[in-house]
Amino acid sequence: MSSRDEAAAAAIVSVAATWDGALVGVALAVFAASAWAKYFSTSASLRRIAAAPSPRISDLRSLLHPNDSDSHEDRDGPLVVVRGAVSALKAQIVSQSSGERGVIVQRTQTFLYNEWRGIFGWSFDLDSFIEKTRKEPRSCSVRSVPFVLVDGGYWPHSGFVHVSLDCSSHPLPLTTVYHHLHPVQATPYTFLQAIFGNGYAVGLLDEEKILPVGEEITAVGICRTQHGIVEIKSCPELPCFLSNMTKGEIEADLEVKTRILFWSGFVLGAVSISILSYAVVRNWQRWKSWRQVQQLHEDAQVQTSSDNGSDDVPDGQLCIICLMRRRRSAFVPCGHLVCCSSCAMSVERNSSPKCPLCRQNIRSSIRIYDS
C-alpha cells in the first residue's frame, strides 16, 4: 500500500472513530432507512402486479368501465399485465448501422477513459472528478414511432392495444444491434495528462439499440380508452413498464429484490442501532466523568478561596509549591502533607505524578481537615 493510500485509510478510520463511531452509525441508519423505504415500495409494487389481471389483448375492452364515453375518454382504467408482439402502426425506423427495422432506435456515444494514475502515482482530485463525470454518454438520441402490441397474427387483423410512452421514465427492453469502439488519437496534451495522472479518452464507444418489430414483450400499466382506441400507459409507482420477462418472471424478480432489501434494512438497522447505542453510552460516561472533574475543580477552588481568606499561615504550614496557601492535601500512598488542594490537583494531572517531597509515585490525594 502506498503512503497516499495509507494516509487516506488513516483519515477514513479517524472519521469513522469520531464520537465512538456515531458518524458511522448515523450513515448506516440512513442506508437502512433507504433500504426499508425501497422495500415497502417494491413489496407494494409486487402486490399490485400479482393482483393485476393478465387478459388477452382482445379482451382488454371488457375490463374498462362500461359507461366510458367520449366525455370520459381520459379516464384511467385498471392496472393490467398483457403480453404481445410489437407491431408498428405505420412506418418503421431503419437502423443506420445495422439496417434492422424497429419502432424505437436509441444511439449513444460514450468516451472511455483510462484508469492509470500517472508516473507520479497521483492525480488532481478536481480533474479526477471532472473525468468521472465525462464518462457519462456524450450524446444520446432516441427516435420512436407509434406502435401497438398484437395478440397473435398481425395488426389490424387481430386484437391490439396502443402503447403510450408519454411521461414514461422506465427502462425499455431494447436489443443491441450495433457495438463498435473507435480509438481516439493521442495528442501532445494527452502526454501531459498521462504524466500527471489525469484521465484521458482512449476510445469512443458507439452503440445502437432497437425495439424490433415482432418481439414478444410484456406491458405492465394502466389500461384506458383514448379516442375510442384501447391504450396502455405506464404507472409511475411501478418499477417497470415494458419488459422481456413474463408476468411470473417479473413477480419472481421482485420477490428476490424484496428479500434482499428486507434483510439489508434489517442488518443495517441492527448494526446502526448497536453502534449508536454504544456511542451514546460511551459519551454519557465521558460526560459524567467530565462533570465529576468539573465538580472537583469547583470544590478545590472553594477550598482555595477559604484558605486564602484565613488568617496568616505559619511558615511551617505553607504549601511547598506555591508558598501562599495552607497545606491541606496528603498524597497517597506516601502520606506527605506538603501541598494545598489546588497544587495537589495540579500534581495529580501530570503524566507521571510524584510527591514533590519524596519523589515517590502517587495515586491520588486526600483532603485533611483540622479538628
Side-chain angles (χ1 to χ4, degrees):
M1 182 182 294
S2 64
S3 59
R4 183 184 179 185
D5 295 336
E6 291 178 356
I12 293 174
V13 171
S14 62
V15 172
T18 304
W19 296 319
D20 294 313
L23 292 180
V24 176
V26 172
L28 291 177
V30 172
F31 289 135
S34 176
W36 279 113
K38 292 180 180 179
Y39 164 75
F40 288 118
S41 175
T42 306
S43 59
S45 300
L46 174 59
R47 290 192 297 269
R48 292 188 62 184
I49 294 176
S54 53
R56 295 175 58 89
I57 295 178
S58 56
D59 299 332
L60 285 177
R61 192 176 293 273
S62 61
L63 297 177
L64 299 177
H65 197 276
N67 295 327
D68 282 348
S69 60
D70 292 341
S71 59
H72 299 87
E73 284 184 349
D74 294 334
R75 180 175 179 176
D76 290 340
L79 178 70
V80 297
V81 181
V82 296
R83 186 170 180 83
V86 176
S87 180
L89 285 176
K90 296 180 181 179
Q92 303 176 8
I93 303 177
V94 180
S95 172
Q96 298 178 357
S97 304
S98 63
E100 297 189 30
R101 297 178 179 271
V103 293
I104 299 177
V105 176
Q106 175 182 319
R107 184 168 186 175
T108 58
Q109 290 182 334
T110 308
F111 276 117
L112 301 181
Y113 290 81
N114 75 313
E115 300 294 338
W116 188 44
R117 287 182 174 270
I119 296 177
F120 301 110
W122 55 272
S123 61
F124 297 107
D125 293 337
L126 180 60
D127 292 342
S128 299
F129 175 77
I130 293 175
E131 298 304 334
K132 288 180 180 179
T133 59
R134 288 179 183 173
K135 292 182 181 179
E136 298 298 327
R138 182 186 179 186
S139 64
C140 179
S141 61
V142 179
R143 294 182 298 160
S144 63
V145 295
F147 66 97
V148 296
L149 296 181
V150 297
D151 196 11
Y154 296 93
W155 179 84
H157 302 291
S158 60
F160 68 94
V161 58
H162 185 270
V163 179
S164 175
L165 296 178
D166 297 339
C167 303
S168 175
S169 58
H170 298 89
L172 299 173
L174 303 179
T175 303
T176 302
V177 295
Y178 180 74
H179 182 94
H180 187 70
L181 180 62
H182 305 277
V184 176
Q185 297 295 330
T187 63
Y189 179 67
T190 304
F191 176 73
L192 296 178
Q193 289 179 312
I195 292 178
F196 292 101
N198 295 337
Y200 57 91
V202 296
L204 177 63
L205 181 61
D206 193 358
E207 288 184 311
E208 196 168 46
K209 300 179 180 181
I210 69 169
L211 181 59
V213 175
E215 182 175 356
E216 289 279 339
I217 64 173
T218 301
V220 183
I222 304 297
C223 185
R224 65 176 184 175
T225 57
Q226 184 75 8
H227 302 293
I229 300 175
V230 181
E231 181 183 73
I232 187 170
K233 67 174 185 177
S234 64
C235 181
E237 294 81 11
L238 297 180
C240 62
F241 175 38
L242 302 178
S243 175
N244 290 322
M245 297 184 293
T246 62
K247 180 182 178 181
E249 293 173 342
I250 294 175
E251 293 178 4
D253 182 67
L254 292 178
E255 286 179 358
V256 173
K257 290 182 179 179
T258 52
R259 293 195 191 98
I260 294 175
L261 291 173
F262 174 81
W263 287 109
S264 298
F266 179 80
V267 172
L268 291 176
V271 173
S272 64
I273 291 175
S274 302
I275 294 176
L276 291 176
S277 301
Y278 172 78
V280 169
V281 172
R282 284 281 297 170
N283 286 282
W284 172 255
Q285 293 176 350
R286 289 182 179 180
W287 182 81
K288 288 176 62 178
S289 301
W290 177 80
R291 286 296 303 167
Q292 291 176 356
V293 172
Q294 290 295 111
Q295 189 65 36
L296 292 175
H297 184 65
E298 293 175 0
D299 294 342
Q301 289 180 344
V302 172
Q303 294 171 3
T304 301
S305 62
S306 62
D307 291 341
N308 291 337
S310 61
D311 297 335
D312 293 338
V313 181
D315 292 342
Q317 298 295 323
L318 287 176
C319 172
I320 65 174
I321 295 179
C322 65
L323 299 176
M324 294 176 58
R325 293 179 288 272
R326 185 184 297 273
R327 302 177 182 181
R328 293 293 189 185
S329 297
F331 292 110
V332 178
C334 65
H336 288 129
L337 180 63
V338 292
C339 293
C340 63
S341 300
S342 178
C343 293
M345 292 185 63
S346 299
V347 173
E348 289 182 30
R349 284 194 288 265
N350 292 334
S351 59
S352 179
K354 295 182 180 180
C355 175
L357 184 62
C358 65
R359 307 305 298 171
Q360 181 180 350
N361 292 331
I362 61 174
R363 296 194 301 268
S364 62
S365 63
I366 58 174
R367 167 78 173 182
I368 305 298
Y369 294 93
D370 296 335
S371 58

